[in-house]
Amino acid sequence: MSDTIRMVDLRGQYDKIKTDIDNAIHDVLDNTTFIGGEHVRHFESQLSEYLSCPHTISCANGTDALQIALMALQLHPGDEVIVPSFTYVASAEVIALLGLTPVMVDVDPATFNTTAELIAPAITPRTRAIIPVHLFGQSCDMEPILDLARAHHLYIVEDNAQAIGADYLFSDGHRAMTGTMGDIGCTSFFPSKNLGCYGDGGALFAADPDLATRIRMIANHGQAEKYHHSIVGCNSRLDALQAAILEVKLRHIKSYIAARREAACRYNRLLASTPLILPIEHPRSSHVYHQYTVQVPDGQRDALRQYLADHQIPSMVYYPLPLHHQKAFLSVGRAATPLPVTEQLCTQVLSLPMHTELTSDQQQTIAETIIDFYSKNGHKQ
Ligand SMILES: *Cc1c(COP(=O)(O)O)cnc(C)c1O
Protein backbone atom coordinates (compact mmCIF):
# COMPACT_ATOMS: atom_id res chain seq x y z
CA MET A 1 0.00 0.00 0.00
CA SER A 2 1.59 3.24 -1.14
CA ASP A 3 0.21 5.36 1.70
CA THR A 4 1.66 3.12 4.41
CA ILE A 5 3.60 5.33 6.79
CA ARG A 6 7.15 4.11 7.36
CA MET A 7 10.01 5.31 9.60
CA VAL A 8 12.20 5.17 6.49
CA ASP A 9 11.10 4.54 2.88
CA LEU A 10 14.09 3.14 1.02
CA ARG A 11 11.87 1.55 -1.61
CA GLY A 12 10.17 4.83 -2.51
CA GLN A 13 13.54 6.53 -2.76
CA TYR A 14 14.98 3.75 -4.95
CA ASP A 15 12.01 3.91 -7.34
CA LYS A 16 12.90 7.52 -8.18
CA ILE A 17 16.55 6.78 -9.06
CA LYS A 18 16.10 3.19 -10.22
CA THR A 19 17.58 3.59 -13.71
CA ASP A 20 20.77 5.26 -12.48
CA ILE A 21 21.20 2.79 -9.62
CA ASP A 22 20.57 -0.23 -11.84
CA ASN A 23 23.04 1.06 -14.43
CA ALA A 24 25.66 1.66 -11.74
CA ILE A 25 25.23 -1.87 -10.38
CA HIS A 26 25.43 -3.39 -13.87
CA ASP A 27 28.57 -1.44 -14.60
CA VAL A 28 30.26 -3.07 -11.59
CA LEU A 29 28.95 -6.50 -12.63
CA ASP A 30 30.30 -5.98 -16.17
CA ASN A 31 33.70 -4.89 -14.90
CA THR A 32 33.93 -7.51 -12.11
CA THR A 33 36.16 -5.21 -10.06
CA PHE A 34 34.27 -5.88 -6.86
CA ILE A 35 36.89 -4.63 -4.42
CA GLY A 36 38.62 -1.28 -4.89
CA GLY A 37 38.75 0.16 -8.38
CA GLU A 38 37.40 3.21 -10.14
CA HIS A 39 34.00 3.53 -8.39
CA VAL A 40 35.57 3.51 -4.92
CA ARG A 41 38.24 6.06 -5.90
CA HIS A 42 35.73 8.28 -7.66
CA PHE A 43 33.21 8.19 -4.81
CA GLU A 44 35.93 9.11 -2.30
CA SER A 45 36.98 12.08 -4.40
CA GLN A 46 33.38 13.22 -4.95
CA LEU A 47 32.72 13.06 -1.23
CA SER A 48 35.94 14.97 -0.47
CA GLU A 49 34.80 17.64 -2.88
CA TYR A 50 31.31 17.85 -1.37
CA LEU A 51 32.70 18.20 2.15
CA SER A 52 35.67 20.41 1.15
CA CYS A 53 37.86 17.90 2.93
CA PRO A 54 41.30 16.95 1.60
CA HIS A 55 41.18 13.21 2.37
CA THR A 56 38.31 10.72 2.38
CA ILE A 57 39.08 7.08 3.15
CA SER A 58 36.18 4.67 2.73
CA CYS A 59 35.79 1.60 4.93
CA ALA A 60 33.34 -1.20 5.73
CA ASN A 61 30.96 0.57 8.14
CA GLY A 62 30.67 3.48 10.55
CA THR A 63 31.74 1.49 13.58
CA ASP A 64 34.94 0.45 11.81
CA ALA A 65 35.53 4.09 10.90
CA LEU A 66 35.48 5.04 14.59
CA GLN A 67 37.72 2.11 15.51
CA ILE A 68 40.23 2.90 12.76
CA ALA A 69 40.24 6.57 13.84
CA LEU A 70 41.20 5.65 17.39
CA MET A 71 43.81 3.16 16.12
CA ALA A 72 45.33 5.89 13.91
CA LEU A 73 45.72 8.21 16.90
CA GLN A 74 47.93 5.60 18.63
CA LEU A 75 46.25 5.78 22.00
CA HIS A 76 47.36 3.41 24.76
CA PRO A 77 45.35 1.04 26.97
CA GLY A 78 43.97 2.97 29.93
CA ASP A 79 43.82 6.25 28.03
CA GLU A 80 40.46 7.95 28.45
CA VAL A 81 38.17 9.05 25.65
CA ILE A 82 35.22 11.34 26.39
CA VAL A 83 31.96 10.46 24.67
CA PRO A 84 28.30 11.35 25.30
CA SER A 85 26.21 8.69 27.03
CA PHE A 86 23.20 9.65 24.89
CA THR A 87 24.26 8.11 21.56
CA TYR A 88 24.32 4.90 19.58
CA VAL A 89 26.45 2.18 21.17
CA ALA A 90 29.11 2.25 18.44
CA SER A 91 30.46 5.63 19.59
CA ALA A 92 31.60 4.13 22.91
CA GLU A 93 31.99 0.45 21.95
CA VAL A 94 35.12 1.03 19.86
CA ILE A 95 36.76 2.86 22.77
CA ALA A 96 36.32 -0.13 25.08
CA LEU A 97 37.23 -2.59 22.32
CA LEU A 98 40.68 -1.00 22.03
CA GLY A 99 41.28 -1.20 25.79
CA LEU A 100 40.65 2.51 26.23
CA THR A 101 38.26 3.89 28.83
CA PRO A 102 35.03 5.55 27.72
CA VAL A 103 34.21 8.46 30.02
CA MET A 104 30.61 9.42 29.42
CA VAL A 105 29.22 12.92 29.61
CA ASP A 106 25.78 14.51 29.51
CA VAL A 107 24.05 16.39 26.69
CA ASP A 108 22.17 19.64 26.25
CA PRO A 109 18.40 18.98 26.44
CA ALA A 110 17.64 21.47 23.65
CA THR A 111 19.92 19.96 20.98
CA PHE A 112 20.60 16.42 22.32
CA ASN A 113 24.32 17.15 21.74
CA THR A 114 27.14 17.37 24.24
CA THR A 115 28.86 20.71 24.89
CA ALA A 116 32.24 22.06 25.99
CA GLU A 117 30.75 22.94 29.42
CA LEU A 118 29.71 19.32 29.93
CA ILE A 119 32.99 17.90 28.61
CA ALA A 120 35.36 20.13 30.63
CA PRO A 121 34.74 18.55 34.07
CA ALA A 122 35.37 15.08 32.60
CA ILE A 123 38.94 15.87 31.54
CA THR A 124 41.62 14.12 33.62
CA PRO A 125 45.39 13.68 33.14
CA ARG A 126 44.57 10.42 31.28
CA THR A 127 42.18 12.00 28.77
CA ARG A 128 43.50 11.78 25.20
CA ALA A 129 40.51 12.34 22.92
CA ILE A 130 36.92 13.52 22.67
CA ILE A 131 34.26 11.99 20.41
CA PRO A 132 31.57 14.62 19.83
CA VAL A 133 28.52 12.99 18.23
CA HIS A 134 26.45 15.16 15.88
CA LEU A 135 23.24 13.50 16.96
CA PHE A 136 20.02 13.35 14.92
CA GLY A 137 21.46 15.56 12.18
CA GLN A 138 22.89 18.72 13.66
CA SER A 139 26.37 19.76 14.60
CA CYS A 140 27.58 20.01 18.16
CA ASP A 141 28.59 23.55 19.11
CA MET A 142 32.11 22.80 17.90
CA GLU A 143 34.06 26.02 18.37
CA PRO A 144 34.18 25.83 22.20
CA ILE A 145 34.85 22.07 21.97
CA LEU A 146 37.77 22.63 19.59
CA ASP A 147 39.13 25.38 21.87
CA LEU A 148 38.88 23.07 24.88
CA ALA A 149 40.64 20.26 23.01
CA ARG A 150 43.43 22.59 21.90
CA ALA A 151 43.94 23.88 25.46
CA HIS A 152 44.27 20.31 26.80
CA HIS A 153 46.09 18.78 23.79
CA LEU A 154 43.26 16.37 23.08
CA TYR A 155 42.31 14.79 19.77
CA ILE A 156 38.83 15.24 18.33
CA VAL A 157 37.15 12.39 16.46
CA GLU A 158 33.75 13.51 15.16
CA ASP A 159 31.05 10.85 14.99
CA ASN A 160 29.22 12.18 11.95
CA ALA A 161 27.17 9.06 11.21
CA GLN A 162 23.90 11.01 11.55
CA ALA A 163 24.74 14.48 10.26
CA ILE A 164 26.51 14.22 6.91
CA GLY A 165 25.77 17.40 4.95
CA ALA A 166 25.21 19.60 8.01
CA ASP A 167 27.53 22.52 8.54
CA TYR A 168 28.61 24.76 11.40
CA LEU A 169 29.23 28.49 11.56
CA PHE A 170 32.38 29.69 13.35
CA SER A 171 32.49 33.09 15.06
CA ASP A 172 34.85 34.42 12.36
CA GLY A 173 32.11 33.80 9.79
CA HIS A 174 33.49 30.69 8.08
CA ARG A 175 31.41 27.55 7.82
CA ALA A 176 32.68 23.97 7.96
CA MET A 177 30.93 20.70 7.20
CA THR A 178 30.41 18.29 10.08
CA GLY A 179 33.08 15.59 10.03
CA THR A 180 35.79 17.98 8.83
CA MET A 181 36.36 20.08 11.97
CA GLY A 182 38.22 17.66 14.24
CA ASP A 183 41.38 15.63 13.61
CA ILE A 184 39.32 12.83 12.10
CA GLY A 185 35.67 12.61 11.07
CA CYS A 186 33.76 9.33 10.77
CA THR A 187 30.55 8.49 9.00
CA SER A 188 28.30 5.54 8.19
CA PHE A 189 26.52 4.62 4.96
CA PHE A 190 24.11 2.22 6.70
CA PRO A 191 21.00 2.13 4.46
CA SER A 192 18.84 4.33 6.70
CA LYS A 193 21.50 7.03 7.23
CA ASN A 194 21.10 10.30 5.31
CA LEU A 195 23.64 9.10 2.72
CA GLY A 196 22.99 5.37 2.81
CA CYS A 197 24.10 2.54 0.54
CA TYR A 198 22.39 -0.83 0.01
CA GLY A 199 24.46 -2.71 2.56
CA ASP A 200 27.19 -1.60 4.94
CA GLY A 201 29.69 1.17 4.37
CA GLY A 202 31.56 3.93 6.13
CA ALA A 203 34.25 6.55 5.69
CA LEU A 204 36.83 8.64 7.53
CA PHE A 205 37.80 12.24 6.82
CA ALA A 206 41.13 13.86 7.65
CA ALA A 207 42.92 17.06 6.65
CA ASP A 208 46.40 15.97 7.75
CA PRO A 209 48.07 13.99 4.93
CA ASP A 210 50.19 11.80 7.26
CA LEU A 211 47.16 10.92 9.35
CA ALA A 212 45.20 10.15 6.18
CA THR A 213 47.97 7.83 4.98
CA ARG A 214 48.01 6.07 8.33
CA ILE A 215 44.22 5.66 8.27
CA ARG A 216 44.36 4.19 4.75
CA MET A 217 47.06 1.75 5.81
CA ILE A 218 45.20 0.63 8.93
CA ALA A 219 42.01 -0.03 6.96
CA ASN A 220 44.10 -2.17 4.59
CA HIS A 221 45.96 -4.57 6.93
CA GLY A 222 48.53 -1.96 7.90
CA GLN A 223 50.16 -2.08 4.50
CA ALA A 224 51.15 0.67 2.08
CA GLU A 225 52.82 -1.83 -0.24
CA LYS A 226 51.19 -5.23 -0.83
CA TYR A 227 52.42 -7.91 1.60
CA HIS A 228 54.56 -5.42 3.56
CA HIS A 229 52.78 -4.70 6.85
CA SER A 230 54.36 -1.93 8.89
CA ILE A 231 51.57 -1.47 11.45
CA VAL A 232 48.82 -3.70 12.81
CA GLY A 233 45.66 -2.91 10.88
CA CYS A 234 42.39 -4.52 9.94
CA ASN A 235 40.43 -5.38 6.82
CA SER A 236 37.78 -2.74 6.33
CA ARG A 237 36.71 -1.66 2.87
CA LEU A 238 33.75 -0.25 1.02
CA ASP A 239 32.98 -2.60 -1.85
CA ALA A 240 32.60 -1.38 -5.42
CA LEU A 241 28.85 -2.08 -5.62
CA GLN A 242 28.21 0.13 -2.59
CA ALA A 243 30.55 2.82 -3.93
CA ALA A 244 28.73 2.83 -7.28
CA ILE A 245 25.36 3.18 -5.49
CA LEU A 246 26.75 5.95 -3.29
CA GLU A 247 28.08 7.85 -6.32
CA VAL A 248 24.49 8.05 -7.59
CA LYS A 249 22.99 8.95 -4.21
CA LEU A 250 25.61 11.60 -3.46
CA ARG A 251 24.40 13.49 -6.55
CA HIS A 252 21.00 13.82 -4.82
CA ILE A 253 22.16 14.66 -1.32
CA LYS A 254 21.18 18.34 -1.49
CA SER A 255 17.63 17.54 -2.53
CA TYR A 256 17.45 14.78 0.10
CA ILE A 257 18.49 17.26 2.79
CA ALA A 258 15.97 19.80 1.47
CA ALA A 259 13.18 17.18 1.61
CA ARG A 260 14.04 16.30 5.21
CA ARG A 261 14.17 19.96 6.21
CA GLU A 262 10.81 20.63 4.57
CA ALA A 263 9.30 17.67 6.40
CA ALA A 264 10.71 18.98 9.69
CA CYS A 265 9.21 22.42 9.00
CA ARG A 266 5.80 20.84 8.36
CA TYR A 267 6.01 18.83 11.60
CA ASN A 268 6.93 22.01 13.49
CA ARG A 269 3.84 23.72 12.11
CA LEU A 270 1.46 20.78 12.55
CA LEU A 271 2.59 19.96 16.10
CA ALA A 272 3.00 23.50 17.43
CA SER A 273 -0.22 23.35 19.48
CA THR A 274 0.58 20.02 21.18
CA PRO A 275 2.39 19.61 24.52
CA LEU A 276 5.31 17.97 22.68
CA ILE A 277 8.72 19.62 22.98
CA LEU A 278 9.82 20.02 19.37
CA PRO A 279 13.42 19.81 18.14
CA ILE A 280 15.39 23.03 18.22
CA GLU A 281 18.01 24.11 15.71
CA HIS A 282 21.22 25.44 17.20
CA PRO A 283 21.84 28.92 15.74
CA ARG A 284 25.35 27.91 14.59
CA SER A 285 24.39 24.59 12.95
CA SER A 286 22.33 23.66 9.96
CA HIS A 287 20.13 20.62 10.68
CA VAL A 288 19.80 17.73 8.23
CA TYR A 289 17.15 15.88 10.28
CA HIS A 290 18.44 12.35 10.30
CA GLN A 291 15.74 12.05 12.96
CA TYR A 292 12.86 14.28 13.91
CA THR A 293 12.91 13.67 17.64
CA VAL A 294 10.35 15.17 19.99
CA GLN A 295 10.19 15.01 23.77
CA VAL A 296 6.94 13.76 25.28
CA PRO A 297 6.50 15.32 28.72
CA ASP A 298 4.60 14.06 31.77
CA GLY A 299 5.51 10.39 31.45
CA GLN A 300 3.21 9.93 28.44
CA ARG A 301 5.87 8.81 25.92
CA ASP A 302 5.13 5.09 25.93
CA ALA A 303 1.36 5.66 25.90
CA LEU A 304 1.68 7.99 22.90
CA ARG A 305 3.95 5.52 21.13
CA GLN A 306 1.38 2.74 21.68
CA TYR A 307 -1.46 4.98 20.48
CA LEU A 308 0.47 5.76 17.29
CA ALA A 309 1.22 2.05 16.78
CA ASP A 310 -2.51 1.26 17.23
CA HIS A 311 -3.10 3.65 14.33
CA GLN A 312 -0.42 2.08 12.10
CA ILE A 313 2.04 4.90 12.70
CA PRO A 314 5.57 3.74 13.49
CA SER A 315 7.87 5.64 15.83
CA MET A 316 11.16 4.80 17.53
CA VAL A 317 12.90 5.51 20.80
CA TYR A 318 16.49 6.62 20.16
CA TYR A 319 17.73 5.74 22.78
CA PRO A 320 15.91 3.91 25.58
CA LEU A 321 18.93 3.08 27.78
CA PRO A 322 21.90 5.41 28.29
CA LEU A 323 25.32 3.93 27.55
CA HIS A 324 26.52 4.42 31.14
CA HIS A 325 23.77 2.01 32.27
CA GLN A 326 24.50 -0.63 29.60
CA LYS A 327 25.78 -3.84 31.09
CA ALA A 328 28.63 -3.98 28.56
CA PHE A 329 30.15 -0.76 29.88
CA LEU A 330 29.59 -1.13 33.63
CA SER A 331 33.09 -2.49 34.23
CA VAL A 332 34.98 -0.84 31.36
CA GLY A 333 33.66 2.72 31.34
CA ARG A 334 32.19 5.30 33.65
CA ALA A 335 29.98 8.34 33.73
CA ALA A 336 32.10 11.41 34.46
CA THR A 337 29.39 12.90 36.69
CA PRO A 338 25.68 12.21 37.20
CA LEU A 339 23.98 12.58 33.80
CA PRO A 340 20.47 13.85 34.61
CA VAL A 341 19.62 15.13 31.12
CA THR A 342 20.57 11.83 29.48
CA GLU A 343 18.50 9.93 32.06
CA GLN A 344 15.48 12.14 31.41
CA LEU A 345 15.79 12.07 27.61
CA CYS A 346 15.81 8.28 27.58
CA THR A 347 12.36 8.35 29.19
CA GLN A 348 10.82 11.03 26.99
CA VAL A 349 12.32 11.07 23.48
CA LEU A 350 10.30 9.82 20.53
CA SER A 351 11.46 9.88 16.91
CA LEU A 352 8.69 10.29 14.33
CA PRO A 353 8.80 9.02 10.73
CA MET A 354 11.38 11.05 8.80
CA HIS A 355 12.65 10.33 5.31
CA THR A 356 12.95 11.83 1.86
CA GLU A 357 9.63 10.46 0.61
CA LEU A 358 7.42 11.54 3.52
CA THR A 359 4.34 13.37 2.17
CA SER A 360 2.44 16.24 3.72
CA ASP A 361 -0.69 14.02 3.78
CA GLN A 362 1.17 11.42 5.82
CA GLN A 363 2.43 14.09 8.20
CA GLN A 364 -1.11 15.47 8.50
CA THR A 365 -2.29 11.98 9.53
CA ILE A 366 0.53 11.65 12.06
CA ALA A 367 -0.17 15.06 13.56
CA GLU A 368 -3.93 14.47 13.75
CA THR A 369 -3.34 11.18 15.54
CA ILE A 370 -1.08 12.89 18.08
CA ILE A 371 -3.68 15.65 18.60
CA ASP A 372 -6.37 12.96 19.07
CA PHE A 373 -4.19 11.25 21.66
CA TYR A 374 -3.97 14.43 23.68
CA SER A 375 -7.67 15.21 23.37
CA LYS A 376 -8.43 11.72 24.79
CA ASN A 377 -5.69 11.61 27.41
CA GLY A 378 -5.49 15.24 28.38
CA HIS A 379 -2.29 16.99 29.26
CA LYS A 380 -1.38 16.08 32.82
CA GLN A 381 0.21 19.06 34.50
C1 LIG B 1 24.92 4.38 12.72
C2 LIG B 1 25.84 4.95 13.70
C3 LIG B 1 27.14 4.46 13.90
C4 LIG B 1 27.64 3.17 13.31
O1 LIG B 1 27.51 3.00 11.96
P1 LIG B 1 27.46 1.52 11.33
O2 LIG B 1 27.71 1.78 9.89
O3 LIG B 1 26.13 0.96 11.61
O4 LIG B 1 28.57 0.71 11.95
C5 LIG B 1 27.97 5.14 14.78
N1 LIG B 1 27.55 6.21 15.46
C6 LIG B 1 26.31 6.70 15.32
C7 LIG B 1 25.92 7.91 16.10
C8 LIG B 1 25.41 6.09 14.45
O5 LIG B 1 24.17 6.57 14.35
Side-chain angles (χ1 to χ4, degrees), residues 60-64 66 87-91 133-135 159-162 187-190 193 200-202 290 319:
N61 57 68
T63 309
D64 273 11
L66 290 161
T87 178
Y88 183 57
V89 65
S91 320
V133 182
H134 306 304
L135 203 69
D159 183 340
N160 195 32
Q162 300 190 5
T187 202
S188 163
F189 305 123
F190 186 79
K193 300 286 158 98
D200 273 311
H290 175 58
Y319 296 93

Side-chain angles (χ1 to χ4, degrees), residues 7 85-88 106-113 135-136 162 275-280 291-306 308 314-322 340-353 370 374:
M7 276 307 281
S85 181
F86 190 67
T87 178
Y88 183 57
D106 216 352
V107 294
D108 169 20
T111 62
F112 308 107
N113 280 331
L135 203 69
F136 300 154
Q162 300 190 5
L276 299 178
I277 302 166
L278 304 182
I280 283 177
Q291 299 295 342
Y292 185 88
T293 301
V294 300
Q295 295 175 58
V296 189
D298 311 316
Q300 290 185 306
R301 195 259 318 269
D302 295 341
L304 174 58
R305 185 165 188 226
Q306 186 58 53
L308 290 171
S315 62
M316 291 292 283
V317 174
Y318 302 119
Y319 296 93
L321 186 63
V341 175
T342 295
E343 308 269 355
Q344 164 135 344
L345 288 176
C346 288
T347 68
Q348 65 182 31
V349 285
L350 191 66
S351 296
L352 300 179
I370 292 172
Y374 278 111

